[in-house]
Amino acid sequence: MLQDQQILRIPGPSPIPPSVQRAMSQPMIGHRGQETSAMLQTISSKLKKVLGTSQDVLILTGSGTSGLEAAVVNIVQPNEEVLILISGAFGERFAKICDAYSIKTHQIDVEWGQAINPQDVKKYLKDHPEIKTVFSTYCETSTGILNPIKEISEAVHEASEALFVVDGVSCVGGVETKMDDWGIDVMVTGSQKAFMLPAGLAFIAVSEKAWNKIKTNSRPRFYFDLVKYKDNILKDTTPFTPALSLIFGLEQVLNLMEKEGLDLVYKRHQLMMNMTRAAFKALDIPLLTSDEFASPTVTAVQPNDFNSEDFRKVLKKQFGLTVAGGQQHLSGKIFRIGHMGYCSPADVLQTISAIEIGLNLVGRKTELGKGTAAAQKIYLEQGVIV
Amino acid sequence: MLQDQQILRIPGPSPIPPSVQRAMSQPMIGHRGQETSAMLQTISSKLKKVLGTSQDVLILTGSGTSGLEAAVVNIVQPNEEVLILISGAFGERFAKICDAYSIKTHQIDVEWGQAINPQDVKKYLKDHPEIKTVFSTYCETSTGILNPIKEISEAVHEASEALFVVDGVSCVGGVETKMDDWGIDVMVTGSQKAFMLPAGLAFIAVSEKAWNKIKTNSRPRFYFDLVKYKDNILKDTTPFTPALSLIFGLEQVLNLMEKEGLDLVYKRHQLMMNMTRAAFKALDIPLLTSDEFASPTVTAVQPNDFNSEDFRKVLKKQFGLTVAGGQQHLSGKIFRIGHMGYCSPADVLQTISAIEIGLNLVGRKTELGKGTAAAQKIYLEQGVIV
């Protein structure tokens, strides 16, 4: 097999654009100097657009999970109760973080592959006025669901005074996000998915209402204390040494997003989702999620007539193509295709056409070209650049 | 459109593997030091295998053309006559170089898209015993022909005492090459095609018989004097400052070729050719060359019902996909797809599936997925890694 080729189609970490790779290999500079401050200033205004907020976007050096934990420890006061909306493994992560701090959690669980229903949230909050914060995932990476986050936010605010915290790690940058307009109080995301960077940065923005609570929150915290980040960003710096190579890369990522146009970035992700889904429908292979709540960044496929782990091995062996497996109880039962960040419609065509070969190799008789044709048709209908 | 993505499918320069890109960005070292000598020594033995020779492979810093000119000025003594076998633009290049030195040339020209016939060469040489050197291209990049170089070499040696010089720039490293066994006296190739490097290095190997002539050749030359390169390579060095970053890259390229296995490298190129040709046949779009003499590294397509320049623009605009146009009188009449070096069967599938969309966009009604299916079928028949 051709050496050195990795076709990485997992739902993050995602491939890095060459110009971002080059940016990240710039020589180190002083993290307290003028150049770093100027860079943070440029980044700041562009990041706000991606998160859809006029608030400062705080940059933590850490994985996405560090951002989730920072949200919990800053927002939840001692002895408060919270509601966690769980549609998969990353909803559960919020619950695990709260457990670690012995925070009393309420949970709304839906079957994996289903989306959270805003009406259920509304009803639950009306019945439980003691809940002070609601946590939700936007895109649930483990299932490929895009929760109706705007509607959930409306439901939360209609039913209660609770703050609404959103994990947008696996979609922000690839799908439209209007934190302010939608009334989201804390938006958390990370660098390694639609942001086209390696893991290592978490981005957090906080509403006025949430800041008021954070400032008076007595819960112990140091590295994750968002007040420190806020105080520092006002001086174009960071409280702790930032992962500068990732910051170099972030600056270039935001340039690329601006050059393409954020609207077109979102349109491209929508298109890639539609191409991918059309292909599997044409091949008569079930998708885990409905069209209504499918994420533009990741598609979960639930085969009923071949073994998905054998299939994943075949793709890796034949083409160096990596797709993800399922997590927890869906392990071995689904596979997931990432189509986010540095991924194009042509990359989707490549993935689908390789997959058609892989299906035949695991003994799942599949008409060659059929899924590809369905994806091509979607491109001709929705994707053509005029 | 996704920024920063270049899908480069021209017949060279070809894409650079990431590990080669990284190797090339190593810090500069002294070109007369121990490290450089050790590197040149490692490279030397591996390069011999790729060219199929026990002779030293000389490394010139220069484009492929510098290698062709070096062959001419070292091999052709003043007042000698030569025969040039011309099957396209790069055969003509040999003629232009000879013209620059006022060397008297004989020529056998075939229609572009045809291969040189060894019997014609034999007959011509028998009729013209004054010819002392024969020049031929192996793969003719401008048409996608792979000349039957072994048979031509046999014809040359059966008919005369002439030396046989071969331009292997656009195929060596991607197709089997047995310089010694086939009786080739001078083999020239370059770095930017199947060698997966940027342009900037030319490789030349010389038979014993040719060395005897070169050593006594009085033609003036300095930078291109192969005797200097030979004398230096025996001391693991070069006569002039080498392009060290390309040498770093070359070392890694040869590692990759060794890791894949040269036989499998050649098999992969054959497979990519077969997939590409099968696709266009399925789509009923004429190929310029016959199956018999098609090159595993580049395929020329000669459409008769759409404009190939419009088509190339569409591919570039929609997918950032670059295929090459025609040269000279074939300009605007053909397009050429490179499938060499850092290119995989999955890349061929991507190219074909994007092309099917492009065809429909230039108004050439094409059944979606049909060409892709034909290429997939070839993969299943010939390409599966067991």
Side-chain angles (χ1 to χ4, degrees):
Chain A
M1 194 178 71
L2 176 62
Q3 299 299 297
D4 230 28
Q5 187 175 48
Q6 288 284 349
I7 307 179
L8 189 64
R9 296 287 163 248
I10 61 174
S14 62
I16 315 292
S19 68
V20 175
Q21 199 71 265
R22 290 195 300 278
M24 289 193 298
S25 62
Q26 287 172 74
M28 225 14 76
I29 59 177
H31 64 297
R32 297 297 178 214
Q34 271 274 291
E35 288 157 300
T36 303
S37 287
M39 187 162 59
L40 287 172
Q41 217 171 2
T42 313
I43 284 171
S44 183
S45 67
K46 293 182 184 176
L47 263 183
K48 289 178 184 179
K49 289 179 194 157
V50 182
L51 274 71
T53 183
S54 62
Q55 298 292 335
D56 288 311
V57 180
L58 315 175
I59 303 175
L60 275 67
T61 297
S63 311
T65 301
S66 75
L68 304 183
E69 179 162 345
V72 170
V73 298
N74 281 273
I75 284 291
V76 185
Q77 286 175 343
N79 303 317
E80 271 187 10
E81 297 180 21
V82 306
L83 170 63
I84 301 176
L85 311 177
I86 301 179
S87 52
F90 289 92
E92 287 179 358
R93 182 148 307 180
F94 267 134
K96 285 180 183 163
I97 294 169
C98 289
D99 283 351
Y101 289 93
S102 306
I103 294 164
K104 181 168 178 199
T105 63
H106 300 252
Q107 302 185 3
I108 294 179
D109 270 281
V110 296
E111 197 188 334
W112 286 33
Q114 301 295 314
I116 299 293
N117 182 340
Q119 294 314 310
D120 294 346
V121 177
K122 199 174 194 172
K123 185 169 182 313
Y124 198 95
L125 287 174
K126 284 204 167 147
D127 293 346
H128 296 85
E130 67 277 19
I131 290 168
K132 300 297 180 207
T133 307
V134 180
F135 293 93
S136 180
T137 41
Y138 190 176
C139 171
E140 175 51 65
T141 323
S142 61
T143 64
I145 275 290
L146 192 76
N147 280 305
I149 214 71
K150 180 188 171 201
E151 291 74 14
I152 297 172
S153 185
E154 283 165 5
V156 169
H157 298 311
E158 278 171 30
S160 81
E161 287 298 306
L163 294 174
F164 186 45
V165 178
V166 174
D167 164 6
V169 172
S170 66
C171 65
V172 172
V175 303
E176 189 179 57
T177 303
K178 297 190 163 183
M179 173 178 162
D180 291 356
D181 290 356
W182 298 347
I184 293 165
D185 292 299
V186 180
M187 174 58 89
V188 181
T189 189
S191 52
Q192 79 278 19
K193 309 261 183 177
F195 270 97
M196 309 188 278
L197 286 166
L201 297 179
F203 310 121
I204 308 188
V206 176
S207 72
E208 282 308 319
K209 188 173 154 198
W211 273 124
N212 292 334
K213 193 170 174 197
I214 289 173
K215 283 176 192 158
T216 58
N217 189 351
S218 63
R219 184 181 296 278
R221 59 203 192 264
F222 190 81
Y223 188 74
F224 290 152
D225 183 5
L226 293 182
V227 178
K228 290 190 178 72
Y229 290 85
K230 174 77 173 174
D231 290 348
N232 276 275
I233 209 169
L234 295 174
K235 298 175 280 179
D236 295 319
T237 188
T238 53
F240 311 110
T241 315
L244 266 179
S245 63
L246 297 177
I247 302 279
F248 290 143
L250 176 61
E251 188 181 30
Q252 176 59 10
V253 158
L254 293 166
N255 288 342
L256 292 177
M257 285 181 175
E258 198 174 58
K259 210 168 158 194
E260 181 172 0
L262 271 184
D263 284 354
L264 293 177
V265 170
Y266 302 149
K267 201 182 151 199
R268 170 166 56 81
H269 282 80
Q270 197 78 34
L271 173 66
M272 295 193 294
M273 169 186 80
N274 291 341
M275 289 170 71
T276 304
R277 295 179 69 85
F280 285 100
K281 287 177 191 172
L283 297 176
D284 206 21
I285 299 172
L287 297 164
L288 181 67
T289 60
S290 69
D291 287 350
E292 190 181 0
F293 297 114
S295 172
T297 57
V298 49
T299 297
V301 182
Q302 191 171 29
N304 54 13
D305 53 4
F306 62 94
N307 181 295
S308 70
E309 292 308 290
D310 292 346
F311 174 66
R312 293 205 304 128
K313 280 182 202 134
V314 161
L315 294 182
K316 183 75 179 169
K317 181 173 178 180
Q318 299 296 322
F319 303 109
L321 168 59
T322 311
V323 302
Q327 293 177 293
Q328 299 185 27
H329 66 278
L330 289 181
S331 172
K333 291 182 182 148
I334 65 167
F335 60 92
R336 293 172 298 148
I337 300 171
H339 34 74
M340 66 175 82
Y342 187 59
C343 183
S344 71
D347 293 327
V348 172
L349 293 176
Q350 179 178 53
T351 303
I352 299 299
S353 52
I355 277 175
E356 290 179 327
I357 290 176
L359 289 168
N360 281 286
L361 288 176
V362 293
R364 201 274 186 184
K365 291 268 173 283
T366 299
E367 187 186 328
L368 294 172
K370 197 174 179 184
T372 303
Q376 289 170 321
K377 187 161 175 282
I378 296 289
Y379 186 92
L380 285 168
E381 288 167 4
Q382 305 171 13
V384 177
I385 296 165
V386 287
Chain B
M1 194 177 70
L2 177 63
Q3 300 299 297
D4 229 28
Q5 186 175 48
Q6 290 283 349
I7 307 179
L8 189 63
R9 295 287 163 246
I10 61 175
S14 62
I16 316 291
S19 68
V20 175
Q21 200 70 265
R22 290 196 301 278
M24 289 194 298
S25 62
Q26 287 173 74
M28 228 11 79
I29 58 176
H31 64 297
R32 297 296 179 217
Q34 270 275 290
E35 290 157 299
T36 302
S37 287
M39 186 163 59
L40 287 172
Q41 217 171 0
T42 314
I43 284 171
S44 183
S45 67
K46 293 183 183 177
L47 262 183
K48 288 179 184 178
K49 288 179 195 159
V50 182
L51 274 73
T53 183
S54 62
Q55 298 292 335
D56 288 311
V57 180
L58 314 175
I59 303 175
L60 276 67
T61 297
S63 311
T65 300
S66 75
L68 304 184
E69 179 162 344
V72 169
V73 298
N74 280 273
I75 284 291
V76 185
Q77 285 176 343
N79 302 318
E80 271 187 9
E81 296 181 20
V82 305
L83 170 63
I84 301 176
L85 311 178
I86 301 179
S87 52
F90 288 92
E92 287 178 358
R93 182 148 306 179
F94 267 134
K96 285 180 183 163
I97 294 169
C98 289
D99 282 352
Y101 288 93
S102 306
I103 293 164
K104 182 168 178 198
T105 63
H106 301 252
Q107 302 183 4
I108 294 179
D109 269 281
V110 295
E111 197 188 334
W112 286 33
Q114 302 295 315
I116 300 293
N117 182 340
Q119 295 314 312
D120 295 346
V121 177
K122 198 175 196 172
K123 184 170 184 311
Y124 197 95
L125 287 173
K126 284 203 166 150
D127 293 346
H128 297 85
E130 68 277 21
I131 290 168
K132 300 296 180 206
T133 308
V134 180
F135 292 93
S136 180
T137 41
Y138 190 177
C139 171
E140 174 52 64
T141 322
S142 60
T143 65
I145 276 290
L146 191 77
N147 280 304
I149 214 71
K150 180 188 172 202
E151 290 75 13
I152 297 172
S153 185
E154 283 165 5
V156 169
H157 298 311
E158 278 171 30
S160 80
E161 288 297 307
L163 294 173
F164 186 44
V165 177
V166 174
D167 164 6
V169 172
S170 66
C171 65
V172 172
V175 303
E176 188 179 56
T177 303
K178 297 191 164 183
M179 175 179 160
D180 292 355
D181 289 356
W182 297 347
I184 293 166
D185 292 298
V186 181
M187 174 57 89
V188 182
T189 190
S191 52
Q192 79 278 18
K193 309 260 183 179
F195 270 96
M196 309 187 278
L197 285 166
L201 297 179
F203 310 121
I204 309 188
V206 176
S207 72
E208 282 307 320
K209 187 173 156 195
W211 272 125
N212 292 334
K213 193 170 174 196
I214 289 173
K215 284 176 191 159
T216 58
N217 189 351
S218 64
R219 184 179 297 277
R221 60 205 192 262
F222 190 81
Y223 188 74
F224 290 152
D225 183 5
L226 294 182
V227 178
K228 290 191 177 72
Y229 289 84
K230 174 77 172 174
D231 290 348
N232 276 275
I233 209 169
L234 296 174
K235 297 175 281 178
D236 295 318
T237 187
T238 54
F240 311 111
T241 314
L244 265 180
S245 64
L246 297 177
I247 302 279
F248 290 143
L250 175 61
E251 190 181 28
Q252 177 57 10
V253 158
L254 292 166
N255 288 341
L256 292 177
M257 285 181 175
E258 198 175 57
K259 211 167 157 195
E260 182 172 359
L262 270 183
D263 283 354
L264 293 177
V265 169
Y266 303 150
K267 201 182 151 198
R268 171 167 54 82
H269 281 81
Q270 196 80 33
L271 173 66
M272 296 193 293
M273 169 186 82
N274 290 342
M275 288 170 72
T276 304
R277 295 179 70 85
F280 285 100
K281 287 177 192 172
L283 297 175
D284 206 22
I285 300 173
L287 297 164
L288 181 67
T289 60
S290 69
D291 286 351
E292 189 181 0
F293 298 114
S295 172
T297 56
V298 48
T299 297
V301 183
Q302 190 170 30
N304 55 13
D305 54 4
F306 63 93
N307 181 294
S308 71
E309 292 309 290
D310 293 345
F311 174 67
R312 293 205 304 127
K313 280 182 201 133
V314 162
L315 294 182
K316 182 77 180 169
K317 182 172 177 181
Q318 298 296 321
F319 304 108
L321 168 59
T322 311
V323 301
Q327 292 177 294
Q328 300 185 26
H329 67 276
L330 289 182
S331 172
K333 291 183 182 148
I334 64 168
F335 60 92
R336 293 171 300 147
I337 300 170
H339 34 74
M340 66 175 82
Y342 187 59
C343 183
S344 71
D347 293 328
V348 171
L349 293 176
Q350 178 177 54
T351 302
I352 299 298
S353 52
I355 277 176
E356 290 179 328
I357 289 176
L359 289 169
N360 281 286
L361 287 176
V362 294
R364 202 273 187 185
K365 290 268 174 283
T366 299
E367 187 186 330
L368 295 171
K370 195 174 180 183
T372 304
Q376 290 170 320
K377 187 161 176 283
I378 296 290
Y379 186 92
L380 285 169
E381 289 167 2
Q382 305 171 12
V384 177
I385 296 165
V386 287

